[in-house]
């Protein structure tokens, strides 16, 4: 006999805690729900209207591709519209997702990404899918090649830069908290190359958190990020101040992945002990917490976010 369902209150609490990769994109949520029911026409309309807003397109395709039945419905869409570049890229990223889960062969996902790239040569999104795959399973050279293909089509690509930072942070773990580590060089270079209003200005903060993740997992930093001292050095303070000042000036409320940056910045400010600045960021984040970096190195992200938010807002 199966166990009884959980009490309604417990179920509601779990639902409230669920991280939604769609963030605050209501149109994406609607299309994803329809896709789960086999109605791919909503996804078609969404991607048509997204056009060449490459950061938004990458975000939307990536989230849609995580729907468990996405590959099947993307194939059905391709049967109906064999020349559709949107259907092709959605299938490609769904295959990447399956390969990363061990449910499909990586070579098949690579081929799907290249097929999608052939159909839309200007679109960085198929190469984003390939970059996701190579960062997880490929060599450094393959990851760099894929990143350069994305950047050659859209030099300011938000998700691609985050993927490369996470990959580079894992190199030379034995170097410890080296302020000259290559991940910092890469993040600073990308931030300097980007336009003044680009959210890549916050990339050095991402690099600092990703390096902490790697060092803490190796036992070279304390498991509690706020107690580790990783955010207390002079260089770290300079990075955090520059990023926070940039946010105050630009904000970029319309960027599709801005809430990811805000979570990293709030985490950094909290770990630095700057409660008032962290509180301002928590107000902007609202209910849109993200698993990273609150899960670093192996923490429960729900509890870590809630505790940091309560402390910063004085409600602990």
């Amino acid at each position: 006999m199966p166990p009884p369902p959980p009490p309604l209150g417990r179920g509601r609490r779990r639902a409230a805690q669920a991280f939604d990769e769609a963030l605050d994109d209501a149109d994406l949520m609607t299309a994803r729900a329809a896709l789960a029911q086999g109605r791919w026409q909503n996804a078609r309309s969404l991607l048509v209207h997204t056009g060449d807003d490459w950061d938004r397109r990458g975000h939307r395709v990536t989230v849609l591709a995580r729907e468990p039945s996405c590959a099947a419905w993307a194939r059905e869409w391709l049967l109906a519209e064999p020349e559709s570049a949107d259907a092709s890229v959605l299938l490609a990223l769904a295959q990447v997702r399956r390969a990363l889960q061990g449910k499909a062969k990586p070579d098949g996902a690579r081929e799907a990404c290249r097929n999608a790239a052939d159909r839309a040569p200007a679109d960085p999104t198929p190469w984003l899918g390939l970059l996701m795959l190579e960062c997880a399973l490929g060599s450094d050279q393959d990851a760099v090649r894929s990143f350069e293909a994305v950047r050659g089509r859209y030099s300011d690509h938000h998700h691609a830069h985050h993927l490369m930072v996470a990959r580079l942070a894992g190199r030379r773990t034995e170097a410890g908290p080296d302020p000259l580590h290559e991940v910092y060089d890469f993040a600073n270079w990308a931030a300097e190359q980007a336009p003044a209003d680009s959210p890549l200005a916050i990339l050095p903060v991402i690099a600092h958190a990703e390096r902490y993740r790697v060092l803490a997992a190796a036992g070279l930093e304390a498991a509690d990020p706020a107690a580790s001292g990783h955010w207390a050095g002079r260089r770290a303070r300079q990075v955090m101040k520059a990023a926070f000042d940039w946010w105050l000036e630009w904000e970029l409320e319309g960027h599709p992945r801005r809430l990811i940056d805000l979570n990293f910045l709030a985490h950094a400010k909290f770990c630095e002990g700057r409660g008032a600045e962290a509180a301002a960021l928590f107000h902007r984040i609202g209910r849109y917490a993200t698993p990273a970096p609150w899960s670093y190195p192996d923490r429960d992200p729900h509890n870590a976010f809630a505790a940091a938010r309560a402390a910063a807002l004085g409600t602990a």
Side-chain angles (χ1 to χ4, degrees), residues 98-290:
R98 287 175 54 78
L100 293 175
Q101 293 173 329
K103 298 177 181 178
K105 293 182 179 180
D107 284 347
R110 290 185 178 98
E111 183 180 358
C113 288
R114 293 189 181 101
N115 288 340
D118 288 343
R119 293 190 181 201
D123 185 1
T125 314
W127 296 100
L128 174 66
L130 201 56
L131 178 61
M132 293 167 65
L133 193 64
E134 303 304 0
C135 280
L137 304 175
S139 67
D140 286 345
Q141 293 82 359
D142 289 335
V144 169
R145 264 195 301 271
S146 300
F147 173 72
E148 288 177 344
V150 173
R151 201 169 188 279
R153 289 159 176 81
Y154 179 48
S155 62
D156 206 27
H157 202 290
H158 190 272
H159 194 168
H161 282 83
H162 277 231
L163 288 168
M164 279 303 293
V165 161
R167 172 77 185 215
L168 290 172
R171 298 186 66 177
R172 295 195 306 111
T173 304
E174 70 282 358
D178 179 4
L180 301 179
H181 189 274
E182 62 203 274
V183 72
Y184 301 128
D185 288 341
F186 172 81
N188 291 334
W189 167 81
E192 290 166 1
Q193 293 289 314
D197 62 347
S198 169
L200 294 185
I202 295 179
L203 204 62
V205 174
I206 312 301
H208 207 68
E210 294 293 357
R211 187 61 177 167
Y212 166 76
R213 170 184 57 82
V214 171
L215 295 177
L220 300 175
E221 288 277 10
D224 179 355
S228 71
H230 188 73
W231 282 266
R234 179 172 174 271
R235 184 194 172 282
R237 289 196 302 271
Q238 288 176 336
V239 165
M240 305 315 152
K241 182 181 186 307
F244 187 76
D245 288 349
W246 177 91
W247 175 71
L248 287 176
E249 181 172 0
W250 297 101
E251 281 200 51
L252 278 192
E253 282 300 305
H255 193 277
R257 285 169 49 90
R258 71 192 181 284
L259 289 158
I260 295 171
D261 286 334
L262 290 180
N263 274 270
F264 271 92
L265 192 51
H267 177 266
K269 283 296 178 183
F270 176 75
C271 292
E272 190 189 0
R274 307 284 293 192
E277 293 171 357
L281 292 156
F282 281 117
H283 278 301
R284 278 287 189 267
I285 290 167
R287 62 188 178 90
Y288 298 108
T290 57

Side-chain angles (χ1 to χ4, degrees), residues 14-22 32 263 287-292 294 300-303 305:
R14 275 201 296 271
Q17 285 186 338
F19 294 115
D20 191 343
E21 293 160 326
R32 182 183 57 189
N263 274 270
R287 62 188 178 90
Y288 298 108
T290 57
W294 302 105
D300 181 299
H302 297 292
N303 293 341
F305 175 82

Side-chain angles (χ1 to χ4, degrees), residues 20-54:
D20 191 343
E21 293 160 326
L23 302 174
D24 61 346
D25 190 332
D27 292 338
L28 174 57
M29 294 176 202
T30 299
R32 182 183 57 189
L35 188 64
Q37 298 172 2
R39 292 183 282 115
W40 50 263
Q41 294 84 355
N42 295 68
R44 180 186 185 279
S45 177
L46 180 74
L47 296 182
V48 166
H49 285 96
T50 306
D52 61 359
D53 182 346
W54 298 128

